[in-house]
Amino acid sequence: MKLRTRHALALVGSAAALSFALTGCSALNSILGSGSGDADRDDKTGQVTESSNIGIFALKVGDCKMESPSGLLESADVVPCTEPHDEEVFFEYKMPDGEYDATAIDTASQEQCTGEGFTSFVGIPWDQSALGVYPITPTQDTWDSYNDRVIQCVIFDQDESGNIIQSSASLKGAAR
């Protein structure tokens, strides 16, 4: 189980980064105004109150979302966490300024998404968990053009085959 999950993290993380990188101009168009901007949120908690399609840069820690059917990460369908959803943003990390370094971003993504942020959120270490994770990372274009330094860690529940299982609550404290 542990090996399968680690391979899934590497595969999904690489696929996510590649998918975002391959979106090219359409991703930049999304950043510049496609999508609906941000979701309706509770003034006190910041939680999404209505389902909405938002630009990827409006995605926040605590947002519950649907898996992207295309695998492209230029926008996200977010929903209140009390409604059925596929994934949840549970942690984010800001890379230090400097030149874009895909290897450093990949390393930081794996460390951040499976380290203390995961343990604090779920309640057990990643290597003991049945839950899956993947990162949303800066691309060369977003790094250079938009000063994008944020890695967001996304968590999801999965069955033995690695298929996503929808949830109608946060996975915070799931301890599994």
Side-chain angles (χ1 to χ4, degrees):
M1 176 77 160
K2 185 165 58 170
L3 182 60
R4 182 181 58 78
T5 305
R6 285 196 176 156
H7 286 289
L9 173 67
L11 180 62
V12 173
S14 297
L18 179 61
S19 293
F20 194 67
L22 293 175
T23 61
C25 292
S26 62
L28 296 177
N29 288 340
S30 176
I31 294 163
L32 294 173
S34 295
S36 62
D38 199 2
D40 289 334
R41 297 179 180 275
D42 181 273
D43 290 336
K44 293 180 183 175
T45 66
Q47 295 295 305
V48 172
T49 57
E50 284 187 40
S51 298
S52 183
N53 180 269
I54 62 173
I56 198 67
F57 285 105
L59 196 60
K60 297 174 177 44
V61 171
D63 283 356
C64 293
K65 64 188 242 19
M66 305 307 290
E67 179 181 29
S68 173
S70 68
L72 301 177
L73 298 174
E74 56 191 39
S75 64
D77 291 325
V78 293
V79 298
C81 289
T82 55
E83 293 181 10
H85 58 273
D86 300 323
E87 306 167 339
E88 180 177 357
V89 179
F90 73 94
F91 186 76
E92 67 182 22
Y93 172 77
K94 185 175 180 186
M95 292 291 296
D97 286 334
E99 293 296 315
Y100 177 82
D101 183 342
T103 302
I105 291 170
D106 287 345
T107 299
S109 296
Q110 289 188 16
E111 290 173 359
Q112 297 300 321
C113 293
T114 61
E116 183 55 37
F118 182 93
T119 302
S120 295
F121 184 78
V122 175
I124 61 172
W126 173 76
D127 61 357
Q128 297 174 16
S129 178
L131 301 172
V133 299
Y134 72 87
I136 299 173
T137 61
T139 65
Q140 179 81 52
D141 287 338
T142 63
W143 185 278
D144 292 341
S145 300
Y146 299 100
N147 200 32
D148 179 18
R149 304 293 187 265
V150 177
I151 295 169
Q152 290 183 314
C153 300
V154 180
I155 191 167
F156 56 94
D157 199 357
Q158 61 187 347
D159 64 18
E160 289 293 322
S161 299
N163 298 312
I164 291 179
I165 301 171
Q166 282 195 330
S167 178
S168 293
S170 173
L171 291 173
K172 183 176 178 83
R176 55 184 163 82

